[in-house]
Amino acid sequence: MISIDTNTSINTLQEFLESKNWLNADEKIRVISKPGEGNMNVVLRVNTNQRSFILKQSRPYVQKFQQIEAPLNRIEVEYKFYEAVQGALISAHIPAILEFDQKNYLIQMEDLGQCDDMTSCYADRKMSFQILEKLVNISKAIHKVGNVQNFPENWELRQLNHQHIFVLPFMEDNGFQLDDIQEGLQELSLPYKKDTAIKTEVHKLGDKYLSKGNVLIHGDYYPGSWMQLENEVFIIDPEFSFIGFREFDLGVMTAHLIMATMDDSSLATVMGLYRGEVNNNLVSQVAGIEIMRRLIGLAQLPLQRTIEEKDYLLQLARKMILV
């Protein structure tokens, strides 16, 4: 397997891509750069004398936290997701896949251009209704794909995600020092880590997450997977996708909308836009768990909130879990 990153020489990458016929006639690489901060995988932007494209490669670990092992085949899951949604009328909202190399765990895809992910919504504390409506409609189109035959179970990555969503954040001693994130956060978290009522519901939801569902879901539907260019929206990074339950995507989306806007009516807004057969209480519970794990777990966000604001969010999350 060849491993590529920003330290790979232009000549080495040129020869490799030529050997795979991934370059056009007389196409020469000029610049290799990082298009942004990826969490899971190595992502490169390749500029040539003819165009630019993205290369994405998985490693046997999480790129941002390399001490955490992760399955290499997640890149194939991503490829299968993009294949599955081709008929879902969302092609304008996903990058085109140009080539896939299973042996080297590598995808070549369309460069969406100078668009940014939507994590800026946490600092802006808002999201336009027009953009939110598009995001909800895209999620609904993904779910309408249904139960894709022979779609990868994505079992190893789901087990890893399960630990970081449903288990580690609710352990009193998980080795993660919350006061290193924000003074007072460790003490603030303890009542929730000791709350047996919360833990009972979280355990049930964790089991459901690991069970076979009936619709294709994105699996990581949050602002880091949403790209925006003016009024257009794109969806990326579906390596966590599997055949699950639609309420998971909707709950995660709702959680991040609440954390961004500090508005507890976000759940009603998302449900009103989705207009589908969905269990509102299940969406609420997933959202509450996602809020908690983002505040008191390892997967922290660029979320600048006071301790008082985080206290409000945690209290709200508890109510949503125990709905």
Side-chain angles (χ1 to χ4, degrees):
M1 171 181 166
I2 183 174
S3 293
I4 60 169
D5 56 32
T6 50
N7 295 317
T8 302
S9 73
I10 287 177
N11 286 342
T12 298
L13 189 59
Q14 178 83 30
E15 290 174 8
F16 172 70
L17 295 180
E18 283 180 345
S19 73
K20 301 200 67 61
N21 294 316
W22 283 16
L23 295 176
N24 300 325
D26 301 319
E27 186 172 14
K28 301 298 179 186
I29 298 173
R30 288 180 170 168
V31 179
I32 304 170
S33 60
K34 282 177 66 174
E37 288 300 323
N39 287 336
M40 289 297 296
N41 305 294
V42 174
V43 184
L44 302 178
R45 170 176 280 125
V46 180
N47 290 89
T48 76
N49 59 332
Q50 298 181 14
R51 57 177 172 157
S52 68
F53 55 81
I54 300 296
L55 293 176
K56 185 172 183 179
Q57 187 175 47
S58 56
R59 298 280 195 269
Y61 48 77
V62 176
Q63 182 65 17
K64 188 174 181 180
F65 304 103
Q66 297 190 7
Q67 73 277 17
I68 301 176
E69 294 182 4
L72 274 165
N73 70 342
R74 63 186 182 271
I75 202 78
E76 183 177 1
V77 174
E78 178 161 345
Y79 174 69
K80 294 287 188 183
F81 175 91
Y82 286 127
E83 267 196 331
V85 299
Q86 283 305 311
L89 302 178
I90 61 168
S91 57
H93 302 286
I94 57 174
I97 301 303
L98 306 177
E99 301 286 354
F100 174 56
D101 179 356
Q102 187 174 19
K103 178 183 174 183
N104 287 292
Y105 305 99
L106 183 67
I107 286 180
Q108 181 191 36
M109 62 178 72
E110 173 191 8
D111 185 355
L112 295 173
Q114 298 301 319
C115 52
D116 297 311
D117 70 34
M118 292 180 62
T119 53
S120 59
C121 70
Y122 304 124
D124 296 340
R125 295 184 177 235
K126 63 183 179 181
M127 183 179 295
S128 81
F129 185 81
Q130 180 188 21
I131 294 297
L132 178 60
E133 186 174 32
K134 287 184 178 182
L135 289 166
V136 173
N137 287 337
I138 291 168
S139 73
K140 190 170 184 178
I142 293 169
H143 301 156
K144 278 189 173 180
V145 172
N147 193 344
V148 180
Q149 192 171 9
N150 299 322
F151 194 84
E153 287 190 358
N154 208 4
W155 183 244
E156 289 180 81
L157 200 55
R158 280 162 67 192
Q159 286 181 308
L160 174 66
N161 218 24
H162 175 270
Q163 284 289 305
H164 284 274
I165 297 174
F166 302 99
V167 179
L168 294 174
F170 301 94
M171 290 173 58
E172 287 184 55
D173 185 15
N174 57 15
F176 187 43
Q177 300 303 315
L178 289 171
D179 282 350
D180 292 345
I181 302 296
Q182 187 172 3
E183 192 68 34
L185 190 56
Q186 183 69 23
E187 183 180 355
L188 189 64
S189 74
L190 288 177
Y192 302 98
K193 294 182 176 186
K194 294 177 179 178
D195 192 321
T196 54
I198 289 177
K199 287 189 172 186
T200 298
E201 295 304 317
V202 170
H203 182 75
K204 288 179 189 174
L205 265 292
D207 285 347
K208 185 171 181 64
Y209 176 81
L210 291 176
S211 301
K212 178 77 171 178
N214 56 10
V215 299
L216 179 68
I217 67 171
H218 179 278
D220 198 23
Y221 208 66
Y222 87 114
S225 300
W226 308 335
M227 308 294 287
Q228 183 177 358
L229 184 63
E230 297 177 351
N231 289 323
E232 200 45 83
V233 173
F234 304 96
I235 304 303
I236 62 169
D237 294 345
E239 64 258 22
F240 285 96
S241 62
F242 65 100
I243 304 301
F245 57 107
R246 69 192 72 214
E247 289 87 355
F248 185 78
D249 276 351
L250 293 170
V252 170
M253 169 191 254
T254 297
H256 289 268
L257 191 59
I258 288 173
M259 286 185 282
T261 64
M262 304 295 290
D263 183 354
D264 63 1
S265 70
S266 300
L267 174 62
T269 302
V270 171
M271 292 298 88
L273 288 171
Y274 191 81
R275 297 187 302 276
E277 291 184 13
V278 62
N279 184 327
N280 288 21
N281 286 350
L282 191 52
V283 176
S284 173
Q285 289 185 303
V286 171
I289 293 169
E290 177 70 6
I291 290 170
M292 281 200 178
R293 77 102 170 193
R294 291 294 191 170
L295 295 179
I296 64 175
L298 177 64
Q300 293 285 315
L301 300 166
L303 185 70
Q304 300 300 316
R305 298 292 182 270
T306 65
I307 279 292
E308 291 75 21
E309 287 175 318
K310 289 186 178 181
D311 185 22
Y312 162 77
L313 287 171
L314 287 169
Q315 289 186 48
L316 175 61
R318 183 181 189 276
K319 292 176 185 174
M320 295 178 78
I321 294 169
L322 301 180
V323 67

